[in-house]
Amino acid sequence: MYARINNRWTLLQKRIKASGYRNYADSTLKKKEWVSTNFSPGNVYHGFVCTDVELVKEYNMTAYFLTHEKTKTEYLHLERDDSNNVFSVGFRTTPLDSMGTPHILEHTVLCGSEKYPVRDPFFKMLNRSLATFMNALTGPDYTFYPFSSQNEVDYRNLQKVYLDAVFRPNLSRLDFLQEGWRLEHSKLEDKNSDLVFKGVVYNEMKGAFSETSSLFGQKFINTILPKGTYGYVSGGDPLCIPQLTHEHLKTFHSTYYHPSNARIYSYGNFPLEHNLQFLNETYLSKYKYLDPKHSVVSPQERWKVPSRASVSCRVDQYGGSVDKQNQIAIGYVMSDITQIYETFMMTALAELMILGPNSAFYKSLIEKNISGGYNSLTGYDNQIRDTLFVIGLRDVEKSNFDKIENIVKQTIDDIFTKGFEKDHIESVLHGFELSIKHQSPRFGLNLLFNLMPLWNHDGPILDALKINELLSELKKNLMNPRYVKDAIEKYFILNNHTLIMTMQPDPKFDDIFNEAEAKLLKSKVNALTAKEKESIYSDGIALSDAQKKVENLDVLPCLKMDEVALSKTAPALQHTIFGTIPLQLCEANTNGVTYFKGVLGTDSLNSTQRSLLPFFIYVVNKFDMKNYNYRDFDKFVSKSTSGLGFMAHIAEHVGQQEQYEQGVLISSHCLDENLRKMLDIWAEIFEKPNFENSERMTMLLNNYCSSLTSGIIDSGHTYAMQAARSLVSSVDECKESLMGMKHVIDMQGIQKKFNISDIQSTVNSISEQIIKGSNLRAAFHYSNATDVLKPVEDFCKNLCPGDAQEVNRITWTDSRPPNKTNRGLHISMNIPVNFCSKVIPTVAYTHADYPKLRVLSRFVTSKYLHPIVREKNGAYGGGAMISTDGAFNFYSYRDPNSRVTLDVFDETADWMAKNINLVDDQNLFEAKLSILQQMDQPVTEYMKGIDLFLYGLSYDMWKTQRERVLAVTKEDLVQVCGEYLASDRWAGKCVIGDGASQPLARASEQWETVSGPQQ
């Protein structure tokens, strides 16, 4: 998985796109203080010298830093009373070309190793493990391999496979051809057929480069940091990937995957000593030290004058008018990542400058309504050696480029002159304080992701954990106007390492790429000798044979049934009624934080209102309230809570497929002492926002519509499955109109068809209809009932009319009778890859066949779909899953095929009938284990019982489902596959992408093609 091209910018940037949540650094804080005295500085343990031990009081955690004596491998262990243990091995990978060597190597090392010489052990371990997380990630200057598990046997199994993969991979030529790139005949067994480019990473990066925001982010970093590794694409430029050779890949591995260039991390309550002993005896002791200076990233030489650049992109067919599909980004190279206080301070400074209606750039840029809002580059990026601050806008007319530059300069000058308001600073600091207490079961992973970029450049990672010290200094400095002035002057006014980059759509963008790809292919083919052509043909046959070969997987470790324990217990829930509002209450170890969730029913809305419900959700807390203007209300929210969350809520009845609940999910959390303030904030919402500000409504509508197409390509398989489900289910038809491609297309029509007064009127009518106490059910999680129940009772009773007596209840919507025609939807999009889906409606969650189908989904994914769709046919991913409403979903991701993949989906039952021998005890157990991996994921304190509140899914139902999964037999799999997945079963299909090279429709299918307005 390539991280940078997917625009993994900072937390701040992610929050800009979100609905107001604060989430700087999740944690799971235990009341017990966790201190160990097993290791002491200066002592040697299995070849590792312990160099530092620090108690991190903020997180009740002890940090151990060790260095391997022989290889100088660095090891960080964070010991904490947390059962979700994490392990990772990472390397600084700094290529000086765009062939994608680190990315392709990341894929290839996971294709078999010395101890585990089977094809793709990484994917096979997904079915032999209870891992709570497994992945591998390549960034612009690092590659690391993290996993987490609550089961110690499982943890040790994964550790063995991961470490053997990175230190002793096979790196076979056929694996390189499969994962990286190859020339192959379009008709495999026909030597006279045309040669084409294939390869998993090759197709992945073609898809990544077709996503406009990702492309802009990649070009921006290459241009503003042109010297060294950041001037190249570590994930691979599709036009450069075919330059990579197998020999170069192996050389890169021997140089960069050396233990002397490694950083190893572990977290949790499993003993450290076992890790050290295994690492030293099995791997590290076999190596000699290799100076890793070749991988060091030097700081960029600072520019003496600002620079400008312009790039082109594809036309977004589902975006606004082409003349407005321009973007601009103005970036500043800031501090070195190793200066941890400076990066911490800049994170806060960036929020003060960018986020929310009280920030300077929001006032000067966003409220001017000259764009579609901030673009995906906006924020502070502290993930690379030279950190970056970027302010950028999307959907801008070219004539406004100069104006935007001037506004940015003037805004910085104004900040220098006026500074920041005290209460604005306090709200930002409050967000940091609340985030330290907020819980997450992925705390160990989040720490890894935050520390790895700093550690990668030899930064002071133990000091970075001392968040209270950093926060204390930050509080003092931000309240000092002179300090703020100096920071703005240093990093902005006197900073000449500045890039102004614009991006403009080119209708010929795709043609230019296709011509360049065709030219490259032609040059490769023309240069081939007769011997090389014969080798290409032979390699294609050999790779196909290898992909079909039945392997002995007994060499891979696997959990046994007696090693799989039921870890979840029923949450202690209380159900009561305050006023007419039904409440679910849960007292838990929430670490001094109170959590609120509520559902407002929307079943009474008409079709016009429902089409604008997602926009209503986007704007509901962005207007004046009864007692506050929108700026003061935002301050009140920020100084007291995590922010207010609003999202569409569609929940199918777990036992009745014909019924579903429609609503809006509202949520927030706060420190216990701020509970009354948080409830007062929600009381303001229930007093109804004032939507009369037409200028603000127009700006928010433009920003909302502009944001809808962002991320479609990154999540194309999700959109494809949702669209396919809408063809067979009225529940999913409702979801598609609220959160699918249909909503994207509908909003374009609404924006053009309705004037702003119509929009205001509809939004206001939604507010009047659903925001009322008589339409609310709620849930609270808290650590002290004494402090919580009285304020909650007062809040609920105040929301309910005095004469109201009938308790609020869920209103179920009845599904419409389905049109049982086999239909398909082709969502045409000018991208070089496709996202394919097929959906078959089956049975409800409580039906006896549901767990059988659930296990079947994992079986066909690992034994059929992954080998064919990904390994053989070159898609980045492919598989099957069953949703809670019983929809059986097939999908592919970044797929060079369309009809070919749909045929694979159609032939599932036939494949099963021919391969019943594969349904043996081990494969059945692995399929069950992968389901338990999903079901047994750790649940954080504030989420206990939420499945019951939102979906009616009780602990007893969950436990029954788990028992039924374990009871599934081989005969069950064969039976449900034949009964539910036969090719003639009623189904819906969707392809997002070009797809035109392969006819999509079959004789019995009715297909519709949808094109964006810019087609």
Side-chain angles (χ1 to χ4, degrees):
M1 173 182 172
Y2 182 53
R4 170 58 55 181
I5 197 70
N6 290 332
N7 246 357
R8 293 168 63 94
W9 291 76
T10 60
L11 243 20
L12 171 65
Q13 187 273 327
K14 291 178 183 177
R15 292 175 59 213
I16 291 168
K17 295 193 290 186
S19 59
Y21 276 111
R22 298 178 179 275
N23 186 24
Y24 296 89
D26 293 338
S27 63
T28 309
L29 297 179
K30 303 287 184 178
K31 292 178 179 177
K32 167 186 174 183
E33 188 173 272
W34 186 256
V35 185
S36 174
T37 55
N38 292 337
F39 294 81
S40 302
N43 291 342
V44 179
Y45 307 91
H46 301 288
F48 284 86
V49 179
C50 181
T51 57
D52 207 345
V53 177
E54 296 266 3
L55 175 63
V56 185
K57 293 183 179 179
E58 290 89 330
Y59 304 122
N60 287 335
M61 179 171 71
T62 304
Y64 300 91
F65 195 83
L66 305 100
T67 304
H68 191 252
E69 286 187 299
K70 187 176 180 183
T71 62
K72 308 305 179 188
T73 305
E74 294 181 349
Y75 193 118
L76 174 66
H77 177 65
L78 302 178
E79 187 176 51
R80 195 160 180 263
D81 189 16
D82 187 343
S83 63
N84 194 24
N85 287 256
V86 181
F87 185 84
S88 170
V89 55
F91 306 91
R92 189 164 56 210
T93 48
T94 51
L96 295 177
D97 56 61
S98 294
M99 296 188 296
T101 312
H103 188 191
I104 294 171
L105 182 60
E106 173 218 310
H107 281 242
T108 313
V109 300
L110 297 174
C111 288
S113 65
E114 183 178 297
K115 285 186 179 178
Y116 308 107
V118 297
R119 195 174 64 254
D120 222 347
F122 176 80
F123 279 94
K124 291 177 173 65
M125 285 303 294
L126 290 172
N127 297 325
R128 304 167 76 89
S129 163
L130 284 176
T132 54
F133 182 86
M134 279 179 68
N135 213 334
L137 303 101
T138 301
D141 54 16
Y142 60 79
T143 306
F144 66 111
Y145 299 80
F147 69 82
S148 61
S149 179
Q150 301 178 91
N151 183 301
E152 188 167 0
V153 174
D154 185 40
Y155 181 89
R156 303 300 174 199
N157 289 347
L158 290 169
Q159 189 178 62
K160 292 172 185 176
V161 173
Y162 266 60
L163 288 172
D164 208 58
V166 298
F167 289 127
R168 294 175 185 166
N170 289 337
L171 298 182
S172 77
R173 187 165 179 276
L174 288 182
D175 289 333
F176 165 69
L177 296 178
Q178 173 183 284
E179 297 298 318
W181 76 277
R182 66 187 183 275
L183 288 172
E184 185 173 281
H185 288 283
S186 55
K187 296 178 181 178
L188 187 62
E189 297 182 354
D190 183 358
K191 291 183 179 181
N192 296 317
S193 61
D194 292 336
L195 289 171
V196 295
F197 285 129
K198 285 191 175 182
V200 172
V201 170
Y202 182 77
N203 285 322
E204 178 191 354
M205 297 310 294
K206 283 178 69 174
F209 268 73
S210 63
E211 213 291 313
T212 298
S213 296
S214 298
L215 178 65
F216 197 20
Q218 183 66 67
K219 296 292 186 183
F220 194 89
I221 192 175
N222 293 158
T223 307
I224 196 170
L225 301 173
K227 299 290 180 68
T229 194
Y230 301 136
Y232 301 95
V233 185
S234 64
D237 184 324
L239 296 179
C240 298
I241 288 174
Q243 298 171 16
L244 180 62
T245 66
H246 183 222
E247 289 303 315
H248 182 77
L249 185 86
K250 291 192 292 184
T251 301
F252 192 93
H253 175 268
S254 65
T255 306
Y256 288 89
Y257 276 50
H258 192 281
S260 301
N261 192 44
R263 288 152 181 80
I264 300 174
Y265 169 94
S266 58
Y267 163 91
N269 59 9
F270 293 160
L272 168 62
E273 190 162 355
H274 184 286
N275 293 356
L276 301 181
Q277 182 177 1
F278 179 72
L279 274 163
N280 180 60
E281 294 179 359
T282 311
Y283 298 103
L284 303 191
S285 62
K286 311 295 193 295
Y287 285 83
K288 295 180 180 179
Y289 174 69
L290 176 67
D291 191 338
K293 62 183 179 183
H294 59 280
S295 69
V296 171
V297 179
S298 299
Q300 292 280 314
E301 181 182 340
R302 294 301 194 258
W303 295 347
K304 293 182 171 55
V305 293
S307 182
R308 294 177 179 275
S310 182
V311 296
S312 60
C313 64
R314 69 180 183 91
V315 172
D316 184 350
Q317 294 165 263
Y318 295 87
S321 60
V322 178
D323 61 340
K324 288 186 178 180
Q325 286 188 23
N326 307 289
Q327 297 197 47
I328 183 171
I330 302 173
Y332 303 80
V333 175
M334 312 299 277
S335 63
D336 191 289
I337 192 174
T338 60
Q339 298 173 298
I340 57 171
Y341 175 74
E342 293 297 293
T343 60
F344 189 70
M345 179 272 294
M346 276 306 308
T347 301
L349 204 62
E351 176 166 344
L352 287 164
M353 297 171 74
I354 293 171
L355 194 63
N358 291 291
S359 65
F361 280 116
Y362 187 95
K363 292 176 183 177
S364 65
L365 283 174
I366 304 303
E367 292 188 341
K368 286 285 192 300
N369 199 19
I370 55 175
S371 71
Y374 293 131
N375 64 19
S376 62
L377 275 71
T378 302
Y380 178 57
D381 183 0
N382 60 359
Q383 305 292 296
I384 50 180
R385 179 67 190 259
D386 301 277
T387 64
L388 303 175
F389 175 95
V390 182
I391 186 78
L393 298 177
R394 62 177 177 242
D395 288 354
V396 177
E397 293 182 0
K398 287 190 286 186
S399 58
N400 282 328
F401 282 162
D402 290 343
K403 181 178 182 180
I404 290 166
E405 284 186 48
N406 291 332
I407 291 174
V408 168
K409 184 179 183 302
Q410 184 59 54
T411 304
I412 290 171
D413 288 343
D414 290 344
I415 294 172
F416 175 78
T417 303
K418 301 174 184 176
F420 302 107
E421 296 178 7
K422 181 181 178 181
D423 52 358
H424 190 197
I425 294 172
E426 289 173 348
S427 68
V428 170
L429 294 173
H430 170 264
F432 278 82
E433 292 169 341
L434 180 56
S435 71
I436 295 171
K437 285 184 168 286
H438 177 60
Q439 300 188 41
S440 166
R442 289 167 53 106
F443 177 60
L445 283 165
N446 291 335
L447 273 181
L448 169 66
F449 295 149
N450 285 326
L451 289 173
M452 190 65 192
L454 174 63
W455 192 9
N456 198 46
H457 299 288
D458 304 315
I461 53 175
L462 297 188
D463 290 341
L465 292 170
K466 300 171 185 175
I467 192 75
N468 284 343
E469 291 181 14
L470 294 169
L471 190 55
S472 177
E473 187 175 356
L474 182 66
K475 287 179 180 179
K476 179 184 69 177
N477 288 336
L478 287 184
M479 290 300 181
N480 180 353
R482 183 69 257 173
Y483 179 89
V484 173
K485 272 182 179 289
D486 290 345
I488 295 297
E489 183 177 49
K490 174 183 177 180
Y491 286 114
F492 293 95
I493 295 175
L494 301 180
N495 186 355
N496 286 320
H497 201 137
T498 303
L499 174 65
I500 301 162
M501 178 178 276
T502 59
M503 183 167 68
Q504 301 167 41
D506 182 352
K508 296 182 179 180
F509 181 83
D510 299 305
D511 294 335
I512 292 170
F513 174 81
N514 291 336
E515 289 170 8
E517 185 183 40
K519 183 179 179 181
L520 176 63
L521 177 62
K522 184 178 179 180
S523 69
K524 288 279 185 185
V525 172
N526 288 343
L528 293 173
T529 64
K531 184 178 179 181
E532 288 170 332
K533 289 180 181 179
E534 184 62 32
S535 178
I536 287 171
Y537 173 76
S538 299
D539 285 340
I541 298 296
L543 179 57
S544 178
D545 290 343
Q547 291 165 342
K548 297 173 186 174
K549 182 181 177 182
V550 178
E551 299 177 295
N552 177 16
L553 301 182
D554 292 342
V555 296
L556 285 173
C558 182
L559 281 175
K560 298 178 176 62
M561 183 56 73
D562 60 6
E563 295 167 339
V564 179
L566 176 62
S567 57
K568 289 185 182 178
T569 57
L573 303 177
Q574 177 185 351
H575 292 89
T576 188
I577 299 167
F578 288 159
T580 64
I581 299 174
L583 292 174
Q584 178 175 296
L585 305 175
C586 183
E587 186 168 357
N589 177 26
T590 58
N591 195 42
V593 179
T594 300
Y595 294 83
F596 162 69
K597 287 183 175 61
V599 173
L600 299 166
T602 59
D603 58 288
S604 63
L605 299 181
N606 61 38
S607 58
T608 301
Q609 292 171 322
R610 191 167 288 111
S611 66
L612 275 171
L613 180 61
F615 177 62
F616 167 81
I617 290 170
Y618 175 74
V619 303
V620 62
N621 62 331
K622 295 180 173 67
F623 281 86
D624 293 348
M625 301 294 158
K626 180 178 180 180
N627 297 302
Y628 299 88
N629 64 44
Y630 67 88
R631 295 196 204 280
D632 288 341
F633 185 67
D634 182 75
K635 291 176 186 176
F636 186 20
V637 170
S638 299
K639 290 173 70 173
S640 309
T641 76
S642 61
L644 307 183
F646 299 84
M647 63 183 296
H649 171 72
I650 306 293
E652 305 84 357
H653 195 298
V654 292
Q656 300 290 333
Q657 285 183 298
E658 298 80 18
Q659 293 186 326
Y660 60 99
E661 180 191 22
Q662 305 177 61
V664 173
L665 173 63
I666 61 177
S667 58
S668 62
H669 60 270
C670 67
L671 298 173
D672 286 349
E673 58 264 31
N674 287 332
L675 175 58
R676 286 193 179 274
K677 291 180 181 178
M678 181 173 78
L679 297 177
D680 287 345
I681 287 167
W682 283 110
E684 284 290 330
I685 293 287
F686 277 85
E687 287 282 353
K688 308 294 187 304
N690 182 341
F691 299 109
E692 293 179 358
N693 187 335
S694 59
E695 185 177 342
R696 184 163 179 77
M697 184 69 79
T698 301
M699 180 270 291
L700 290 170
L701 180 64
N702 289 339
N703 287 2
Y704 178 73
C705 292
S706 178
S707 71
L708 288 177
T709 58
S710 297
I712 289 177
I713 296 175
D714 282 342
S715 304
H717 63 308
T718 303
Y719 282 94
M721 285 189 285
Q722 179 60 66
R725 285 196 298 268
S726 74
L727 301 177
V728 295
S729 162
S730 59
V731 180
D732 284 289
E733 190 176 7
C734 178
K735 288 182 181 179
E736 174 71 3
S737 68
L738 294 177
M739 55 192 75
M741 286 299 299
K742 186 178 188 305
H743 177 63
V744 175
I745 296 169
D746 286 349
M747 284 305 300
Q748 294 165 343
I750 288 172
Q751 192 177 17
K752 294 174 182 176
K753 181 179 178 182
F754 294 96
N755 60 47
I756 203 63
S757 61
D758 294 331
I759 302 291
Q760 287 175 286
S761 176
T762 303
V763 167
N764 191 66
S765 69
I766 295 172
S767 175
E768 293 291 336
Q769 206 155 322
I770 71 170
I771 302 184
K772 47 191 178 184
S774 59
N775 190 39
L776 173 69
R777 58 188 183 87
F780 285 87
H781 288 75
Y782 48 85
S783 54
N784 190 332
T786 304
D787 298 332
V788 170
L789 295 185
K790 185 62 169 68
V792 169
E793 182 177 11
D794 293 343
F795 167 72
C796 291
K797 289 182 176 178
N798 288 337
L799 291 184
C800 300
D803 57 350
Q805 294 183 349
E806 186 174 348
V807 176
N808 308 347
R809 301 191 184 279
I810 296 175
T811 303
W812 296 102
T813 301
D814 292 326
S815 299
R816 297 191 315 275
N819 171 15
K820 291 198 173 183
T821 303
N822 288 320
R823 291 188 291 159
L825 181 63
H826 176 206
I827 301 174
S828 178
M829 195 173 288
N830 55 330
I831 54 176
V833 291
N834 301 296
F835 303 91
C836 307
S837 180
K838 175 183 177 180
V839 173
I840 303 172
T842 61
V843 295
Y845 182 88
T846 53
H847 193 284
D849 282 348
Y850 184 91
K852 302 173 187 176
L853 288 160
R854 196 170 184 178
V855 174
L856 177 66
S857 70
R858 298 306 307 158
F859 178 81
V860 298
T861 293
S862 63
K863 301 303 175 186
Y864 176 53
L865 298 172
H866 179 79
I868 301 298
V869 175
R870 186 184 191 276
E871 293 180 353
K872 180 180 177 182
N873 293 344
Y876 185 65
M881 56 175 285
I882 186 168
S883 49
T884 310
D885 63 348
F888 196 95
N889 301 257
F890 295 91
Y891 66 90
S892 71
Y893 184 73
R894 288 181 179 165
D895 191 345
N897 301 294
S898 51
R899 184 68 253 178
V900 169
T901 299
L902 295 177
D903 287 344
V904 173
F905 298 161
D906 287 343
E907 294 162 6
T908 301
D910 292 339
W911 172 86
M912 175 68 98
K914 296 173 184 176
N915 292 274
I916 293 177
N917 62 302
L918 290 178
V919 193
D920 58 23
D921 290 339
Q922 179 62 30
N923 288 334
L924 177 63
F925 174 66
E926 289 179 16
K928 293 178 183 180
L929 197 60
S930 65
I931 297 299
L932 297 187
Q933 184 185 109
Q934 300 167 4
M935 297 188 73
D936 293 355
Q937 286 281 325
V939 178
T940 194
E941 296 289 312
Y942 70 89
M943 291 299 290
K944 289 182 175 179
I946 287 300
D947 280 347
L948 176 63
F949 175 70
L950 294 179
Y951 309 112
L953 184 58
S954 69
Y955 174 81
D956 287 341
M957 287 180 178
W958 173 88
K959 188 177 179 182
T960 299
Q961 176 80 190
R962 192 178 189 278
E963 292 168 351
R964 286 177 169 180
V965 165
L966 290 173
V968 171
T969 66
K970 294 179 281 187
E971 293 74 19
D972 289 336
L973 287 198
V974 175
Q975 176 254 316
V976 294
C977 188
E979 180 176 349
Y980 295 103
L981 303 189
S983 59
D984 59 353
R985 287 277 301 195
W986 175 46
K989 296 177 180 177
C990 177
V991 172
I992 296 178
D994 179 27
S997 60
Q998 300 171 1
L1000 297 178
R1002 285 289 182 256
S1004 62
E1005 299 172 351
Q1006 296 179 9
W1007 279 76
E1008 176 188 359
T1009 298
V1010 175
S1011 301
Q1014 313 307 331
Q1015 182 77 10

